[in-house]
Amino acid sequence: MRRPLAILAGVLLTGAFTLPASAAPGDEDFTIKDPRITESSGLAASRQHPGIYWTHNDQDTGAYLYAVDSSTGETVATITMTGVGTPRDVEAISMGPDNQLYVGDIGDNDGVQWPYVWIYRLPEPKTLKDQTIKATQYVVKYTDGTRDAESMVVHPRTGRVYIIDKHEDGGHLYEGPAELSPSGTNVFKPTVPVDMWATDAAFSPDGRTLAVRGYLGGIAYDWNGGKLKRLERISVPLGQGESASYSPDGSKLMLGMEGAGSAVVAEDAPGAAGSSDSATGSGSSASGDDGDASGSNLKVGAIALGAACVVLFALRRLFRRR
């Protein structure tokens, strides 16, 4: 009876694993291969170019951005920003409305307390090639003095910019003005606590979820109009974890590392796999997009696999009795 049992097992397991689960461009693990990128500190998914992620070093020889093809790990375009000063500590990048890239020169390498920091904005190029693009530079200060920060996000619907300061015991979400001004100073004020030693953050594509990551873990929040509600914990790869971005369809949370040949790991987006590890005790509806097909496929696949295991166990007991 072993051969029929083995055949049946193969059929059941094949059915469980061949459900529709094709990967969308840009939602799988990849490794950044460009030897120039040794301190990838931010990550932003392109909306115009499937599978492309923008990144940067926290310290570089110039004001550079790199477009990395997640299918190969290779850099397919290098952008040189003009119209900005010499970058000091570039820690974050985010895609805003209308395909505008925002770059956060907001860190404090070597413990320097800058009296102000900078944000740069530039249009994402429609053609991926090495080129120079003029950026707008914004001066940023905080209402409560200087601070270290590595996380900057732009709400995908409103375009408002937020910064999370970096404290081992947790920081705060800082809200910028409704619209940044290239003249004068843009003042950011603290609004709500963030229970994370934050190294980066990302909005889901629909703007409903804010994912905040650190070196040892992460937290997903219901955005709730900026009045954050904790949803669930996020698992992150251990190490010098410095970057985070949602995949373009919101099904994955892409978590990057620093170092030469650094890895970007794709995890199920908060709520996408029906996680019950929610601080509110509920399963969480914090997925990036409503009706996420990828999350549904994962759920169906898990159910099918579980059913297959139950059937196999029952048949094995039945055949043993014979």
Side-chain angles (χ1 to χ4, degrees):
M1 298 299 294
R2 289 181 180 177
R3 187 175 180 183
L5 182 59
I7 293 173
L8 179 58
V11 170
L12 289 171
L13 293 176
T14 299
F17 287 107
T18 56
L19 291 170
S22 57
D27 67 0
E28 294 184 302
D29 296 357
F30 66 95
T31 298
I32 297 174
K33 298 179 180 178
D34 192 330
R36 297 172 298 175
I37 305 173
T38 58
E39 297 178 311
S40 175
S41 295
L43 201 65
S46 171
R47 298 194 188 114
Q48 298 186 94
H49 310 290
I52 297 298
Y53 285 85
W54 292 96
T55 190
H56 53 81
N57 289 311
D58 61 10
Q59 288 186 311
D60 213 328
T61 57
Y64 302 130
L65 302 178
Y66 304 94
V68 178
D69 186 342
S70 61
S71 67
T72 64
E74 303 286 353
T75 298
V76 294
T78 301
I79 301 303
T80 302
M81 292 183 286
T82 62
V84 303
T86 302
R88 296 185 296 211
D89 186 4
V90 181
E91 291 288 352
I93 186 169
S94 183
M95 185 70 73
D98 302 321
N99 300 317
Q100 296 288 307
L101 282 167
Y102 290 74
V103 182
D105 191 353
I106 57 176
D108 72 346
N109 263 338
D110 303 321
V112 177
Q113 293 186 331
W114 308 110
Y116 56 86
V117 292
W118 296 312
I119 291 174
Y120 315 128
R121 180 178 59 84
L122 66 156
E124 181 187 33
K126 295 181 179 179
T127 302
L128 291 176
K129 63 179 182 179
D130 293 351
Q131 56 191 296
T132 298
I133 298 179
K134 182 175 176 56
T136 302
Q137 179 170 303
Y138 303 99
V139 175
V140 169
K141 287 187 177 181
Y142 305 99
T143 57
D144 50 358
T146 62
R147 57 204 54 256
D148 184 22
E150 296 187 2
S151 310
M152 180 206 69
V153 291
V154 183
H155 196 276
R157 299 286 174 84
T158 68
R160 198 162 198 156
V161 182
Y162 300 85
I163 294 174
I164 302 171
D165 62 341
K166 184 183 180 184
H167 281 289
E168 187 173 354
D169 297 329
H172 283 80
L173 179 75
Y174 282 77
E175 181 184 72
E179 185 174 340
L180 296 179
S181 172
S183 61
T185 300
N186 296 275
V187 179
F188 279 59
K189 60 182 180 181
T191 56
V192 293
V194 175
D195 302 323
M196 177 59 53
W197 190 14
T199 61
D200 203 9
F203 273 116
S204 60
D206 63 7
R208 295 181 179 180
T209 307
L210 176 68
V212 185
R213 71 155 302 168
Y215 298 122
L216 301 177
I219 300 174
Y221 292 94
D222 180 357
W223 178 240
N224 190 35
K227 301 176 182 178
L228 303 182
K229 290 184 178 180
R230 183 166 171 158
L231 292 173
E232 61 184 84
R233 291 189 296 271
I234 299 170
S235 175
V236 304
L238 297 182
Q240 190 73 11
E242 294 280 346
S243 61
S245 173
Y246 275 82
S247 61
D249 66 359
S251 66
K252 298 290 183 179
L253 188 60
M254 312 297 291
L255 301 165
M257 313 288 285
E258 274 200 359
S262 58
V264 176
V265 177
E267 299 282 356
D268 289 332
S275 170
S276 60
D277 186 19
S278 170
T280 60
S282 64
S284 168
S285 58
S287 60
D289 283 329
D290 294 335
D292 174 29
S294 176
S296 299
N297 288 337
L298 287 170
K299 291 180 184 178
V300 174
I303 293 171
L305 179 58
C309 291
V310 171
V311 172
L312 285 174
F313 180 75
L315 288 174
R316 180 168 291 182
R317 288 177 59 87
L318 176 62
F319 288 146
R320 281 178 177 176
R321 290 175 181 175
R322 293 183 178 182

